[in-house]
Amino acid sequence: MTLAIVAPSFHQPGEPYIRDHVRTIAPGDTVLVCRDPRGIAALGCPVHRLAAPPWHTRIASRLQSKLHGLRSSSPYYIVPGPLPPNERERLVGFLRSHGVSCMLAEFGTMGIEVMDACDEAGIPLFVFFHGADALVLPRQDKNGLFPALFQKAHTVLVTTEFMRKAIASIGCPAEKTVLVPIGVDPDRFSRRTGHEPARKVAMVCRLIPQKGPLNCVDSFARLHRAHPDATLDIIGDGPMRADIEKRTEELKLSDAITLHGPQPHERVVDLMASADLLIQHSMAVPGGNPEPFGISLVEAMACEVPVVATRSGGIPEVVADGETGLLVEEGDIDGMAAAMIDILSSPEVAARMGAAGRQRVIDRFSTGVITQRLRQTLRLGGDD
């Protein structure tokens, strides 16, 4: 079996799971399709590069990327059309020349673009929805592209039951959906110990309203009053960075809060693994999407770091409340602060939650478990 994986790019720091799909599903029998070739040589696969989208699509992409706090233009937040005929023919030729037997499209947007090419090449299309492609973009679909995709796709993959329900609400047949969480390799993560001070909190996310970064800062301020040695490392970037800097100054917490900005994944893992707690205050906001999964939460648990987060979207399916961390309601700043204080005031509780979190990752979210699920899905087409 030769597998084709199509994605906008394979280098995004926040998408290591896509690179894991390349390395683990069909090693040695995988070809790649993308628009942005940065970093792709390291994956060692034959590559077909799609042409740049039309100018009006690129402008829309820039505007949406800025709105969602992305650092570069991204097609994740626009509804594309299928590839134009010349591009489709080029892709079909590439697929046939490499004997591709099935295609995995990362994001529904890429599935829409390649669905006609898969039809023409006679290969089944598997589409992995990851978030906004299921929760936001269907509202913008004026041309019935998502229903067409659901009709043509062999199987639609989602990361949580929350996402499965969202996909069903926009017309995807239940028999076509398969739940496959995002996986991480536990061997890449380990607890860092012996650091000072003893109450290090980390936050890893885009600095956008639906991630609730100001709520996190306000909750941390309450923690800091109870434990003046506490620190907060904020890793990520976005349009709310200036608001966070202003709030930090207002609360006189500039010595306790560090904004690291965007970092390579290796540095993110290092900062996360050196923390005593990871926090995330995801919330529903107008025009945004609820948290579909929460990969940083899984990575923190792999590092034996307990989590305090909100009951937003798919998070309750990732974090076991009371076992691997604590969950609070969206907007509950005091509740989040109390949960942080409870965990950081009891090293025994923190250690127990950390150990349980790593075991949960090994059992449910490890790359080995997820890769086997993906291989089964791609071969059997929808057995769940």
Side-chain angles (χ1 to χ4, degrees):
M1 178 187 82
T2 297
L3 170 68
I5 299 180
V6 55
S9 69
F10 292 88
H11 72 92
Q12 294 293 339
E15 297 168 1
Y17 52 90
I18 293 180
R19 295 184 287 279
D20 284 342
H21 292 170
V22 175
R23 297 186 182 104
T24 63
I25 298 175
D29 291 307
T30 300
V31 301
L32 307 179
V33 180
C34 66
R35 280 209 168 86
D36 183 347
R38 284 178 290 177
I40 208 166
L43 296 173
C45 300
V47 179
H48 176 81
R49 184 177 180 183
L50 297 173
W55 65 268
H56 50 84
T57 300
R58 295 198 297 272
I59 290 175
S61 174
R62 292 190 189 100
L63 292 174
Q64 292 289 352
S65 297
K66 184 175 181 181
L67 175 65
H68 287 270
L70 301 178
R71 298 182 65 208
S72 60
S73 180
S74 168
Y76 303 166
Y77 292 98
I78 57 174
V79 182
L83 294 174
N86 60 327
E87 274 295 292
R88 186 179 70 245
E89 291 304 320
R90 287 181 58 241
L91 176 56
V92 169
F94 174 80
L95 299 175
R96 287 174 173 165
S97 69
H98 287 278
V100 170
S101 54
C102 67
M103 176 177 282
L104 175 63
E106 305 279 3
F107 302 100
T109 50
M110 297 308 299
I112 288 172
E113 293 201 61
V114 302
M115 60 185 180
D116 289 349
C118 288
D119 259 0
E120 187 171 329
I123 61 174
L125 172 63
F126 298 77
V127 186
F128 210 145
F129 280 77
H130 292 292
D133 47 354
L135 302 170
V136 175
L137 290 185
R139 306 174 205 158
Q140 306 171 17
D141 182 13
K142 308 299 184 183
N143 299 310
L145 293 169
F146 281 93
L149 173 64
F150 296 144
Q151 181 179 7
K152 292 184 177 184
H154 187 287
T155 301
V156 173
L157 294 81
V158 294
T159 56
T160 57
E161 287 292 344
F162 169 77
M163 285 280 287
R164 194 201 291 266
K165 293 176 182 177
I167 287 290
S169 72
I170 58 175
C172 185
E175 64 272 15
K176 282 197 173 185
T177 47
V178 174
L179 194 155
V180 182
I182 294 172
V184 302
D185 182 354
D187 292 339
R188 297 181 192 170
F189 301 87
S190 61
R191 186 83 174 94
R192 310 284 197 272
T193 59
H195 57 266
E196 293 293 339
R199 293 183 177 89
K200 291 173 66 69
V201 181
M203 185 175 84
V204 180
C205 64
R206 297 198 309 277
L207 305 183
I208 55 178
Q210 53 262 49
K211 298 294 185 179
L214 291 179
N215 287 356
C216 284
V217 171
D218 289 343
S219 294
F220 174 78
R222 290 157 172 77
L223 167 69
H224 192 264
R225 286 198 290 270
H227 297 289
D229 62 342
T231 61
L232 173 61
D233 288 304
I234 300 176
I235 303 103
D237 204 358
M240 293 188 69
R241 176 165 183 153
D243 297 325
I244 295 169
E245 292 172 341
K246 180 180 178 181
R247 183 70 59 86
T248 298
E249 293 174 1
E250 292 171 348
L251 294 169
K252 296 181 171 54
L253 289 174
S254 297
D255 291 338
I257 297 178
T258 303
L259 277 80
H260 294 268
Q263 296 292 325
H265 189 248
E266 294 75 13
R267 176 59 175 157
V268 173
V269 173
D270 186 60
L271 288 166
M272 186 185 299
S274 299
D276 298 290
L277 183 67
L278 184 96
I279 60 174
Q280 185 166 315
H281 200 114
S282 297
M283 55 198 300
V285 298
N289 58 280
E291 188 67 55
F293 184 76
I295 185 63
S296 63
L297 308 180
V298 177
E299 292 179 339
M301 292 192 300
C303 294
E304 297 187 47
V305 174
V307 172
V308 172
T310 49
R311 294 184 182 90
S312 177
I315 288 178
E317 299 177 52
V318 174
V319 179
D321 188 20
E323 297 178 21
T324 67
L326 295 174
L327 299 180
V328 302
E329 299 303 322
E330 295 181 15
D332 188 356
I333 294 171
D334 289 334
M336 172 166 270
M340 295 163 67
I341 292 170
D342 285 348
I343 293 175
L344 293 178
S345 297
S346 175
E348 296 80 10
V349 170
R352 173 176 57 78
M353 287 184 169
R358 182 168 175 84
Q359 191 60 50
R360 185 174 175 84
V361 171
I362 292 170
D363 294 341
R364 299 190 181 201
F365 304 116
S366 68
T367 300
V369 171
I370 301 307
T371 297
Q372 182 59 33
R373 190 76 171 268
L374 284 166
R375 286 175 178 164
Q376 181 184 28
T377 299
L378 293 169
R379 183 177 65 251
L380 300 178
D383 286 0
D384 195 359

